[in-house]
Amino acid sequence: MIVGSDGNAYAVEDKDNLPDGVTAVGMVAYKEDFEPNVGIVIALTDESDNTMSWEDAQTACANKASVGGYTWKVPTRSDWDSMFESFGGYSDSWTGLNTAILNAGGNALKSGNWDVIYFAENPGSGEAMQMFVISDGSASTYTGEIDSYVRACFKFEE
């Protein structure tokens, strides 16, 4: 499912036939097993083509237009793991998620050789952890002061 700027969910097959004035802004990337009306939406594009500081990442997500009353945020490592697993990967594999994002009309997560890093929020601390996203389709967590890429998400309850 894709999520439109109007807050409604649409089938991926309808991405080119959304109502007038509605654009696809996210994709349902995870639904809980026991509560299928609870899940995570990931943005279809990065917040910037360039890396940014942790403070700028938080600001970029917070300033993103809310969707259906939900506020965008920097994903936690747990959010990333849930999204990876939802698309057939294990907790450190992003290949399936990337394929789904592309199929939904979004831009792929960047890949590289230990030089492509996405932010993950460290819950409770308000500080960043970074996740390496590398060319073999896996990720690992790194903590430090380094500018990173940002892909926003929000948790929803229908």
Side-chain angles (χ1 to χ4, degrees):
M1 300 293 290
I2 56 174
V3 176
S5 55
D6 61 354
N8 292 318
Y10 300 90
V12 170
E13 302 81 45
D14 295 333
K15 69 182 178 220
D16 296 323
N17 298 309
L18 298 176
D20 287 343
V22 175
T23 57
V25 295
M27 176 192 82
V28 176
Y30 169 74
K31 282 193 168 188
E32 289 190 14
D33 290 335
F34 299 108
E35 293 186 68
N37 59 333
V38 176
I40 301 171
V41 169
I42 189 168
L44 292 177
T45 59
D46 286 347
E47 293 311 299
S48 172
D49 288 336
N50 302 309
T51 60
M52 58 179 69
S53 70
W54 172 239
E55 292 78 19
D56 289 344
Q58 291 178 301
T59 299
C61 291
N63 289 341
K64 199 171 171 69
S66 66
V67 175
Y70 295 103
T71 303
W72 296 96
K73 68 179 191 85
V74 177
T76 65
R77 176 61 198 250
S78 177
D79 293 337
W80 280 114
D81 288 345
S82 295
M83 292 185 286
F84 294 155
E85 290 169 5
S86 183
F87 287 94
Y90 51 93
S91 65
D92 292 331
S93 173
W94 60 271
T95 305
L97 176 61
N98 227 14
T99 299
I101 291 169
L102 289 170
N103 289 339
N107 296 335
L109 296 168
K110 292 175 175 42
S111 65
N113 190 13
W114 293 104
D115 57 352
V116 175
I117 304 169
Y118 278 86
F119 274 121
E121 183 170 357
N122 191 354
S125 72
E127 295 180 8
M129 296 186 304
Q130 286 87 12
M131 280 181 19
F132 287 103
V133 178
I134 57 177
S135 57
D136 67 0
S138 65
S140 62
T141 304
Y142 166 80
T143 303
E145 293 294 323
I146 185 170
D147 286 0
S148 300
Y149 292 101
V150 181
R151 183 69 64 114
C153 78
F154 64 81
K155 292 187 177 183
F156 68 87
E157 272 190 58
E158 297 176 321

